[in-house]
Amino acid sequence: MIFTFMGYRMRLLAVETSTPAGSVALIQDDAEPRVRRLEPGRPQTETLLVAIDRLLTDCGCTVRALDGFAVAVGPGAFIGVRVGIATVKGLAMGTDKPVVPVSTLEALAIRALEPDALGDVPAHLIPQLTICPLIDARRGEVYAACYRPDRERGVVIREGEEMLTSPTVFVERLTGPVFFLGDGVSLHRPAIVKQLGSQAFFPPSDRPELMVPSAAAVGRLARRRWTEGGAVDPGELTAVYFRPAVEQAAGPRSG
């Protein structure tokens, strides 16, 4: 079932748990999203519902007062993606509300359009820029994709498919200028710079938050999709995986 909404007024709860830096956000009309990060160092199975409850309490909102939900569906950490989807699916089914699924890679790529995110990228190169989010997938691999920025519309447009790949192989296919962000950058930056040199760009060092997706970005993307009829019945939610679940849960970290 596809849900369509003609108006723009809404309360949307967004969840992002695809990486260890999980967060939740409340999107209300055109106001700035209210965000709460999950408590670090503890399993997301223990902290997600607590963060949602505290966020809604702080905003004077209840789950039943929401119009719908948004959730990052991967690719990313298997357990995190599963926790986020299962939680949102349960809340949405319990309140009979729709959900907007959002790609984790797109939620990361859209952060490049935030104010001052592009840092040292020369203005004349921005129209030619490729945005490449890299999420650590363990075993020396990354989840990756390429996007073109459309700054006038405030969107990023994917070129090609999302993939699980060796960062070296992925970067070898690129021509600059390229803007990289994501936790995969921290692990593989030397290889990126070796291949692309001065055509490789990264977020400013004082903006570490740009290296992870955020629930606010998930919510902003979902809000646009919502108005375009992109919300679905929660029973239709599916996770995006590129590797069997058992392997993802057991694999060692990269680096």
Side-chain angles (χ1 to χ4, degrees), residues 63-64 69 85-99 232-237:
V63 172
R64 293 198 174 277
F69 300 84
I85 289 179
T87 300
V88 167
K89 185 179 289 189
L91 292 172
M93 286 182 167
T95 54
D96 195 26
K97 300 291 173 64
V99 182
V232 302
D233 184 280
E236 298 177 31
L237 279 178

Side-chain angles (χ1 to χ4, degrees), residues 104-121 126-127 129-134 145-152 154-157 177-182 185 201-204 207-214 216-218 220-221:
T104 303
L105 285 168
E106 185 178 2
L108 183 53
I110 198 78
R111 304 211 67 179
L113 302 189
E114 294 182 18
D116 303 318
L118 295 181
D120 297 331
V121 180
I126 292 177
L129 197 65
T130 299
I131 299 171
C132 289
L134 303 179
C146 293
Y147 294 84
R148 291 286 183 185
D150 184 336
R151 297 177 68 85
E152 290 187 5
V155 299
V156 290
I157 302 167
V178 185
F179 184 78
F180 295 91
L181 68 174
V185 172
F201 296 93
F202 308 92
R207 298 290 303 279
E209 74 277 8
L210 296 175
M211 301 303 266
V212 294
S214 74
V218 171
R220 290 190 183 100
L221 287 167

Side-chain angles (χ1 to χ4, degrees), residues 25 90 97 103 155 164 186 189 245:
K97 300 291 173 64
S103 160
V155 299
L164 170 67
S186 303
R189 184 164 178 160

